[in-house]
Structure formats: structure tokens, C-alpha cells
Amino acid sequence: MRHSKTKLFSYWCARFTPEPYAKKMQQLLKTAFDETTVQDRLLPTGADENYFHFINYKTVRNGFFCGEFFGYEKGRIGQVIKESFNQEQVDPKALPAPQADDGTEQQYLDGKLYFICKDDHFILVQDMHTKGRQLERYLEEIIRKRCATYSDDQQFMLERSISQKARKEIKGVKKIHLSTPLEYKEMKGSEVKTGSMSVAIGKGWDVLKGLLGEKLDLSQFSLKGITDPKEIEVTVSLAWKKKRGDTVSDQIDSLANTFRHIDDELDFEVETLSGKIKKDELRLSHLFSVKHIDNMPVREDLFDKMISWYTHLVEAKDI
């Protein structure tokens, strides 16, 4: 079935350490993936031996390396329901992926990411299951394995960056405000000494704890007098101390890099001498309508629009 869906395009850049590095990321991708099969490009995640990532389709289009990056869990079972909605309830039924017509085992895809690369510049289209952090880890391992010129002490990261035009307007970072909705679970009875407590959970909370460690000790609090704890939001404000020799771009690059893989989990705002800047203003991203067939993007339409947006960013002097 043919239809269109809105997809979020985001700009990223490959940053190598130590710098400078003699090759561009696009050159490494060519070396790593030329004359390979999907089997050569298949990589377990390490955390789960049954979960794999791989680059599937790849091509060079108008001078850009274009690829689709898939994830799947081997043996995953889907859940389906019958539309018998005139009953009190409908019961889910396990549905393994059927074999292909030739008897080959099939697997359900668990995530899709699309990207283009020009020199060290990337445009990504992510979904809720497959993110830039997975692509970053995957490329690091594959390139290390397949590129002889990539030494053991070399590393790279996919880094977010703000518009170069916006960078020039920012004067002096004073504070960073981090906030996240508080997800929680209640603890009662034998789990606590008296009454009831609520324990903070969720990805946003984990991000704050990982950043601040023991300084953030709000993991438990009394629910007494709180009518709807789901509406609680935690906000942490950090004073940004400028080190000698730091420039504004150093501060902003550091900020963008620290939160490069945080999407919906955490919101942040930067307070500067020239005003407050929201998270979305610190990132280069844009929504585009992309043609789909059977819930899969039409590659030509997607990659052409990604290339066109990259060209726009260059011409607008945003990158």
C-alpha cells in the first residue's frame, strides 16, 4: 500500500580522536563495505547474542554514501489479535515469522535507520528502536575490523552540532537546565519500613543519575499529599563555569556532544547572555514527508530528500 509518512531528518558529524585523522568517514565506509555480502556486515550487539544489526541496502548516489541500517532479534515472536471486538476481551496470539517460500528462515525487523554520508557529514533518519548510538557502535566495530589503516588507538563518535549561524549569536553560556518527566513505581508493605514510597525510574531519570551520580539523591520520596505524581517533572540547573581559554563554540560543542544521543528522554535549555535557547534550537533537524510502500520508505525519494536537505544546509552556511 502506497502512502506518505513524516520523518525527522537530523544532522550529525563524525569526529575522530586523536585528531587530525588522514581519512574521511566516507572513505572508511567505502573500504569497509565494498564487495561485501550481508553476512559480512552482520554484527551481534554484544548485550544480547540473539540481537543483530547490519547494513542492508547501500549505494553511492550523487556522490553520497547511502545506506539502510536494520536491527532484528533472531526468533522474535510477534503478537496478533483477532478483530472480534464484540467480546469482553480479545486474547493475543503468538505469531513466529513464517518461513520463506524456499524454506529459508525469516525474522521480524525490529528497527530501521537510514543515513547518507558526505566526507565526515551525516544525515540520519532514526526510528524508536534503532538510533544513532547503535549506528555509531556498529560502524566503530566494523571499520576497526575491516579497515587496515584504522589503528587500535583511533576512535570516532557521531556528534550533534548546532547551526554555524546560531553559534555566532550565542554569547556566554551561564546555566544549563535539564528536565524530565518523573516516571515512578509505588513501593508498599514489606518493601518499605512505613507507609508508601515512590521510586523514580525511566530513561530520563537514568540520564540525570548518570550525569550527576550521587549528587542527585531524589530516588525516593513520600507520596503523602500528592494527588497525581505522574505530573511531577524533575528539573536540574547546572552553573556553566568557563575555563580559561574556552570559547563559546567550545562550550556549545561540549554541550551538543554530551547530549548527542538523548532524544525524547530529556529536555534541556541553555541560559546565555543573549537569551535562552531550547534543545530544538541547538540541533539541526527538520521534518519531511517521505513516500512509503507497505510501511517502508521509498529509497529513491528518501535519499534524494536527505541529499537535498544536506545541500540546503551547506548553501545556508548552517554547516
Side-chain angles (χ1 to χ4, degrees):
M1 183 176 66
R2 184 180 293 269
H3 61 290
S4 292
K5 296 180 70 173
T6 300
K7 310 297 287 186
L8 181 67
F9 292 17
S10 56
Y11 169 78
W12 302 67
C13 185
R15 175 67 62 85
F16 293 92
T17 55
E19 290 183 314
Y21 182 61
K23 292 185 178 293
K24 299 293 186 183
M25 176 55 72
Q26 189 175 6
Q27 294 173 288
L28 292 176
L29 294 178
K30 184 179 188 305
T31 301
F33 296 111
D34 268 5
E35 299 180 2
T36 58
T37 66
V38 172
Q39 184 64 51
D40 299 322
R41 305 191 290 268
L42 197 63
L43 196 68
T45 64
D48 184 346
E49 62 182 13
N50 289 323
Y51 202 96
F52 296 84
H53 284 115
F54 64 97
I55 285 181
N56 186 43
Y57 174 82
K58 62 180 182 64
T59 189
V60 174
R61 190 174 182 87
N62 298 333
F64 290 75
F65 184 98
C66 305
E68 58 185 13
F69 179 59
F70 289 162
Y72 78 93
E73 182 181 7
K74 187 174 178 62
R76 179 185 173 190
I77 296 176
Q79 301 292 327
V80 297
I81 57 172
K82 291 197 301 183
E83 292 187 356
S84 300
F85 296 146
N86 59 340
Q87 304 178 57
E88 183 178 350
Q89 68 179 42
V90 291
D91 296 320
K93 178 182 178 182
L95 185 68
Q99 288 186 338
D101 292 340
D102 63 359
T104 305
E105 293 294 325
Q106 298 187 118
Q107 306 293 338
Y108 290 116
L109 284 180
D110 193 44
K112 306 183 290 291
L113 181 150
Y114 299 84
F115 69 94
I116 63 169
C117 176
K118 180 71 170 178
D119 296 329
D120 288 333
H121 305 277
F122 280 79
I123 305 295
L124 302 188
V125 174
Q126 310 174 75
D127 69 13
M128 64 183 298
H129 297 291
T130 305
K131 304 283 190 180
R133 59 179 173 268
Q134 280 110 352
L135 179 64
E136 179 185 81
R137 186 200 67 84
Y138 171 87
L139 290 180
E140 173 72 28
E141 191 164 340
I142 287 288
I143 288 170
R144 191 170 300 283
K145 182 188 300 184
R146 299 187 60 86
C147 297
T149 59
Y150 197 74
S151 62
D152 290 341
D153 64 343
Q154 195 72 48
Q155 289 183 312
F156 91 94
M157 65 176 64
L158 289 179
E159 181 176 273
R160 303 297 287 261
S161 181
I162 66 169
S163 163
Q164 295 296 315
K165 290 186 296 187
R167 184 189 302 272
K168 295 176 182 178
E169 298 173 0
I170 296 172
K171 304 295 182 183
V173 176
K174 298 192 297 182
K175 289 183 180 180
I176 307 170
H177 305 289
L178 309 171
S179 60
T180 183
L182 182 61
E183 300 178 54
Y184 70 97
K185 65 176 181 180
E186 273 190 76
M187 297 175 62
K188 295 182 178 181
S190 60
E191 294 181 290
V192 294
K193 292 181 179 180
T194 59
S196 62
M197 301 290 287
S198 185
V199 180
I201 59 173
K203 291 182 179 179
W205 183 250
D206 290 340
V207 169
L208 290 181
K209 285 196 300 181
L211 179 66
L212 301 178
E214 295 180 358
K215 297 177 183 179
L216 193 62
D217 188 18
L218 296 173
S219 59
Q220 293 188 359
F221 60 92
S222 173
L223 290 176
K224 186 176 181 180
I226 301 177
T227 57
D228 189 354
K230 290 185 179 180
E231 294 181 355
I232 296 174
E233 182 174 88
V234 174
T235 299
V236 176
S237 296
L238 307 176
W240 191 271
K241 292 184 178 180
K242 180 179 177 182
K243 297 179 182 179
R244 181 175 297 179
D246 275 359
T247 65
V248 170
S249 63
D250 291 332
Q251 299 167 10
I252 296 302
D253 282 342
S254 177
L255 177 70
N257 180 49
T258 299
F259 301 114
R260 69 190 189 279
H261 291 314
I262 300 173
D263 293 297
D264 300 328
E265 296 93 347
L266 189 71
D267 196 11
F268 61 88
E269 179 183 76
V270 181
E271 189 175 326
T272 74
L273 295 176
S274 55
K276 294 182 178 180
I277 306 170
K278 300 285 188 181
K279 176 176 73 174
D280 290 344
E281 298 174 277
L282 286 170
R283 293 182 170 173
L284 286 167
S285 57
H286 200 277
L287 291 169
F288 289 88
S289 178
V290 177
K291 296 176 183 177
H292 280 62
I293 297 177
D294 294 335
N295 209 35
M296 295 288 288
V298 176
R299 292 166 178 158
E300 294 78 7
D301 186 52
L302 175 63
F303 290 136
D304 283 349
K305 286 176 177 174
M306 294 169 80
I307 292 169
S308 178
W309 188 55
Y310 171 85
T311 303
H312 166 77
L313 293 177
V314 172
E315 292 175 349
K317 302 187 185 304
D318 281 320
I319 59 176

